[in-house]
Amino acid sequence: MSARAEIFANIRRALEVTGQEAPRHRCVEDRLEHAPKGVVPIRGQGDTTARVALFRDEAERVSASIVEVDSGMAVPTSIATYLRDRNLPAKIRLGSDPYLAAMPWASTGLEVENGRAIASDLVCVSHAFGAVAETGSLVLTSGQDNPTTLNFLPDTHIVVVQAQDVVSDFERIWQKLRAAYGKALMPRTVNFITGPSRSADIGHKLLLGAHGPRTLHIIIAIGES
């Protein structure tokens, strides 16, 4: 018997239970199913327009740049314009995300490569699972659709998020994750990204790009397509 099993066996003997009692199992299941909700700040509440406006304010406050486009179909042109205006190469890398794949990349002249990011990539594009209005945070899940390396290796990270996926608070985003992936089935990694990478560990001087992208550009697609 392992030390862990022995400890639990001692507890059960002290309580005079076996651990198999149906009422105790029902009590635990009910607690997990109907756990009381914590206090949620009101500032993130509101309709889609209000949530997007707050998200934009908070994201810009932490040095992210943001533009809004009418729909996903306008994203490639928006990215091409962003890269041209900043004298960046017209070359991007993205995963196999179906939402991004359906966009008209060929019409922009951009060179698009797919797969995990490599050290030489300057610009990567991701599709966010969602966003949190109250903190201006993007939420990205790992997988072939949007490899986690896209979040950390490039100097410039461009993230597309749909307006309908901007939720009020962290509690809501976890509900959305559970609903999308099912009970006990979560992605290996969930990254919360709030602004570009930064650190002030050395001499209390703020440096961008310390542990990841120096620049974070967010494109909010208002329409569903």
Side-chain angles (χ1 to χ4, degrees), residues 88-110:
L88 290 168
K91 180 180 179 180
I92 61 173
R93 183 180 296 276
L94 45 85
S96 58
D97 187 272
Y99 178 70
L100 297 180
M103 296 175 181
W105 298 103
S107 64
T108 64
L110 291 172

Side-chain angles (χ1 to χ4, degrees), residues 31 34-42 45 134 168-172 174-175 178:
R31 172 70 180 185
H34 304 99
K37 295 181 179 180
V39 176
V40 177
I42 197 171
Q45 311 302 314
E134 66 177 359
S168 55
D169 45 66
F170 284 96
E171 287 79 2
R172 295 291 177 88
W174 283 113
Q175 290 174 10
R178 293 187 187 100

Side-chain angles (χ1 to χ4, degrees), residues 133-215:
E134 66 177 359
T135 59
S137 302
L138 294 162
V139 182
L140 294 103
T141 56
S142 62
Q144 292 300 315
D145 287 356
N146 294 280
T148 297
T149 50
L150 301 179
N151 305 344
F152 295 101
L153 286 181
D155 193 60
T156 297
H157 190 200
I158 299 174
V159 181
V160 182
V161 62
Q162 295 168 264
Q164 64 195 30
D165 293 327
V166 178
V167 301
S168 55
D169 45 66
F170 284 96
E171 287 79 2
R172 295 291 177 88
I173 202 69
W174 283 113
Q175 290 174 10
K176 182 178 171 67
L177 282 162
R178 293 187 187 100
Y181 287 91
K183 187 175 182 179
L185 296 173
M186 295 292 280
R188 186 173 182 85
T189 304
V190 178
N191 290 123
F192 289 84
I193 298 175
T194 308
S197 174
R198 67 189 66 209
S199 175
D201 291 345
I202 301 175
H204 300 288
K205 182 179 180 181
L206 182 64
L207 296 174
L208 295 180
H211 309 293
R214 185 189 311 274
T215 302

Side-chain angles (χ1 to χ4, degrees), residues 208-224:
L208 295 180
H211 309 293
R214 185 189 311 274
T215 302
L216 175 63
H217 182 60
I218 303 170
I219 301 176
I220 303 175
I222 303 301
E224 295 186 6

Side-chain angles (χ1 to χ4, degrees), residues 24-37 178 183-184:
R24 294 171 63 84
H25 280 275
R26 286 196 298 270
C27 181
V28 172
E29 291 169 0
D30 183 69
R31 172 70 180 185
L32 293 173
E33 187 69 25
H34 304 99
K37 295 181 179 180
R178 293 187 187 100
K183 187 175 182 179

